[in-house]
Each structure stands twice: as structure tokens, then as C-alpha cells.
């Protein structure tokens, strides 16, 4: 019988991989989590059982837990997805983009359709040379009404995707739309397939590299994040004699009523405050 201690993962880690596709690294330089987005991103409707899916109801709580866990220093996202539900994919991408912890994504195999926003949502993105990414317009299955409102809905949804991708990458919106509407690239669809080097050249992905490159980059982001200066604090005494710690206020002063002029203070003390003693600065604040 084989020794259980020599197994790469513990029983708890194996179950975690089966349930959510997430595993925490052990005996590493930094404590990072690996999140895998594979197959098809499942949204509000359950896909057939033979489909390999990533369920957004599993990923969203996991991202929140990773953000709140003080022991986790960084997140590595590994993508090999054909796309899937637009709103579910955008929801996951927005959460990743809004995380305060260092995040790095790497595309292996493919990062197609809604996988494009997921790939660029991390602070640094990688792609292996053999991977591909497909950029194409939004599609919809099922019954649709042939009315102008339907086309307007598609345009707004496409604009949401374009705005997110271009704001989280180096690609210009005009270029993204141009690649999305390319007619000579795909056989049965409109769009463009970008290989690893092309995705980096177009500014969609930050770097070309392997798993080790992505991990090294994540470690550097973690170490850089730890070196950031903390807020200076000082200790002061309250009126009750107790000590209280206050942080240095670096934010601009809030708007408020400005102090009265010297002339106004003297006139008010004599009980003879007149309209001429008031200054415009005394009433420029909020009432």
C-alpha cells in the first residue's frame, strides 16, 4: 500500500478540487489560491450533465472568501473555457477585477467568448503560445422577437463587454470591435481567433509565458504589495484621559463652514454684528 503522506493532495484538498476546482498551495513561498475556469461558464440555466461546466454559484462565494481570508496572499486564475453565459461571466470578471489582493490569470488551451473578459480581469494576464482566444459578437439561443428593441438590447450588451475588456487591457475599443466583426476569419461565425503571440501583440493579454512565469509574477505582486507604505498613526489623549490611536488624514478637507473673519468675531462679541461685517467666505460652506 502506498503511503498517504506522499500523496500530492490531502483528502480535503481533493474534495475541494472536485467541488469547486480550487486548491490552496502548501509549502510554497507565498500562500496563493488557484482558481480554474474550465469548460462552459454556467449561468442561470443548468447545462446538460455531459457538459464540463464552471458554475458561477460556486465561484462567486469562493472569490468573496478569498478576498476576506487574511492568510491568502494572492490568486492565480487558470482559464481553458469555450465561453458561456454572458452575465455570469461578467459577474465573475467584475469580482476578480475588484479584488484588492494580487491576481494573475493564465490562458491555456483557450479563452474564448466570455473567457476574454475573464482573462483580462486579473491585474496581470498571461497566455501560453499554443492557446487561442476567440472574439465574436454576442449570441443568443431560444426564441427572439424580430423588433428593433432586440437589436438595441444586443448592442447594449456588446457595449458592456467591450467597455470592460478595453478598460482592463491595452486594446483600443475600435480595434476590439474591428476584430469582433471580422468576416473572413471564422467559417460559421463572425469574429477573430487570436493565438498567444497575436493576443499579446494586439494588447489583449499582457505577457506570453508559462505557468512558472505566471507564478513568479504573482509572487512579485505579493512582495510589492507587502512593501507598500502603511498609514502613519499617532497616539493622542481624549478628554477622559484615555489614549486613542488616530490615522493621518491624507484625504482633502471636507467642505464646511469656514471660520469667521476677525472683524465679524469682534462685532459679534460686542453684540453689534452688521451685514457689512459678514464675509462671503463665512457662508461658502454647506448649511
Amino acid at each position: 500500500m502506498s503511503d498517504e503522506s506522499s500523496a500530492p493532495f490531502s483528502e480535503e484538498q481533493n474534495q475541494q478540487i472536485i467541488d469547486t476546482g480550487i486548491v490552496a498551495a502548501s509549502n510554497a513561498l507565498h500562500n496563493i489560491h488557484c482558481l480554474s475556469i474550465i469548460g462552459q461558464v454556467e449561468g442561470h440555466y443548468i447545462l446538460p450533465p455531459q457538459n464540463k461546466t464552471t458554475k458561477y454559484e460556486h465561484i462567486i462565494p469562493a472569490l468573496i472568501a478569498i478576498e476576506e481570508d487574511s492568510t491568502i496572499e494572492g490568486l492565480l486564475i487558470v482559464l481553458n473555457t469555450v465561453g458561456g453565459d454572458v452575465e455570469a461571466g461578467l459577474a465573475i470578471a467584475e469580482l476578480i477585477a475588484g479584488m484588492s489582493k494580487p491576481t494573475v490569470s493564465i490562458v491555456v488551451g483557450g479563452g474564448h467568448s466570455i473567457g476574454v473578459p475573464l482573462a483580462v480581469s486579473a491585474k496581470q494576464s498571461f497566455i501560453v503560445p499554443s492557446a487561442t482566444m476567440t472574439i465574436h459578437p454576442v449570441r443568443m439561443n431560444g426564441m427572439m422577437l424580430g423588433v428593433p428593441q432586440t437589436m438595441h438590447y444586443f448592442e447594449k450588451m456588446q457595449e458592456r463587454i467591450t467597455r470592460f475588456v478595453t478598460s482592463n487591457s491595452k486594446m483600443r475599443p475600435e480595434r476590439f470591435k474591428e476584430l469582433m466583426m471580422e468576416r473572413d476569419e471564422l467559417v460559421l461565425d463572425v469574429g477573430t481567433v487570436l493565438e498567444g503571440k497575436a493576443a499579446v501583440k494586439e494588447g489583449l493579454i499582457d505577457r506570453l509565458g508559462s505557468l512558472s512565469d505566471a507564478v513568479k509574477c504573482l509572487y512579485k505582486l505579493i512582495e510589492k504589495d507587502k512593501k507598500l507604505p502603511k498609514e502613519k498613526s499617532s497616539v493622542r489623549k481624549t478628554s477622559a484621559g484615555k489614549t486613542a490611536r488616530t490615522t493621518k488624514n491624507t484625504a482633502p478637507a471636507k467642505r464646511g463652514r469656514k471660520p469667521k473673519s476677525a472683524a465679524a468675531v469682534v462685532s459679534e462679541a460686542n453684540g453689534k454684528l452688521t451685514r457689512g461685517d459678514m464675509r462671503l467666505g463665512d457662508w461658502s460652506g454647506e448649511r
Side-chain angles (χ1 to χ4, degrees):
M1 294 181 65
S2 60
D3 188 4
E4 292 182 358
S5 61
S6 62
F9 299 115
S10 64
E11 183 178 350
E12 182 180 354
Q13 288 176 320
N14 285 332
Q15 189 61 41
Q16 190 179 27
I17 295 174
I18 295 172
D19 293 339
T20 63
I22 303 173
V23 59
S26 58
N27 300 324
L29 182 62
H30 293 286
N31 185 16
I32 66 174
H33 258 54
C34 176
L35 171 68
S36 59
I37 301 178
I38 58 176
Q40 192 166 351
V41 179
E42 186 179 84
H44 303 303
Y45 299 97
I46 299 176
L47 295 173
Q50 66 269 19
N51 289 32
K52 183 73 70 175
T53 62
T54 295
K55 300 180 183 295
Y56 83 116
E57 66 267 27
H58 291 168
I59 300 299
I60 290 177
L63 290 173
I64 297 173
I66 292 170
E67 174 70 12
E68 291 296 313
D69 193 338
S70 59
T71 63
I72 299 174
E73 300 175 89
L75 176 64
L76 177 67
I77 304 110
V78 181
L79 293 112
N80 185 13
T81 176
V82 295
D85 188 271
V86 173
E87 291 191 347
L90 278 180
I92 297 172
E94 287 283 5
L95 287 179
I96 295 174
M99 295 182 72
S100 62
K101 295 184 178 181
T103 55
V104 172
S105 66
I106 179 170
V107 180
V108 293
H112 308 292
S113 191
I114 201 61
V116 175
L118 289 168
V120 303
S121 62
K123 291 179 175 60
Q124 287 290 323
S125 57
F126 283 79
I127 187 171
V128 298
S130 61
T132 58
M133 304 183 74
T134 304
I135 303 172
H136 65 78
V138 175
R139 310 187 193 120
M140 180 176 288
N141 298 325
M143 185 185 68
M144 290 182 291
L145 298 177
V147 293
Q149 290 87 337
T150 301
M151 183 59 65
H152 183 55
Y153 172 76
F154 274 99
E155 291 176 352
K156 290 195 297 182
M157 184 177 291
Q158 191 61 63
E159 184 60 32
R160 290 163 56 195
I161 297 173
T162 302
R163 184 167 55 248
F164 181 87
V165 172
T166 54
S167 62
N168 288 276
S169 68
K170 301 174 184 177
M171 181 173 284
R172 295 179 292 106
E174 297 80 12
R175 180 55 177 166
F176 186 78
K177 293 178 181 178
E178 181 181 346
L179 294 175
M180 182 175 56
M181 295 299 178
E182 179 63 44
R183 298 180 179 179
D184 299 329
E185 183 76 20
L186 302 179
V187 177
L188 300 176
D189 200 356
V190 176
T192 304
V193 177
L194 296 176
E195 294 184 357
K197 291 183 179 180
V200 176
K201 184 178 179 181
E202 291 286 352
L204 186 63
I205 299 297
D206 294 324
R207 305 180 191 179
L208 190 73
S210 61
L211 175 61
S212 61
D213 298 319
V215 172
K216 289 178 182 178
C217 179
L218 183 57
Y219 282 175
K220 289 182 179 179
L221 290 178
I222 292 172
E223 293 166 1
K224 182 180 178 180
D225 186 61
K226 287 185 176 182
K227 293 179 181 180
L228 291 178
K230 305 298 181 181
E231 291 183 340
K232 295 182 179 180
S233 61
S234 59
V235 178
R236 63 175 177 83
K237 285 189 176 182
T238 62
S239 57
K242 298 180 180 179
T243 59
R245 187 172 297 275
T246 59
T247 57
K248 185 178 180 181
N249 185 14
T250 57
K254 295 183 179 180
R255 292 180 59 194
R257 192 183 299 276
K258 293 184 178 180
K260 296 180 180 180
S261 62
V265 173
V266 172
S267 299
E268 186 177 13
N270 296 330
K272 299 178 180 180
L273 183 62
T274 63
R275 185 179 299 274
D277 294 323
M278 299 179 185
R279 299 292 185 268
L280 181 60
D282 302 335
W283 304 95
S284 62
E286 296 178 350
R287 298 191 178 186

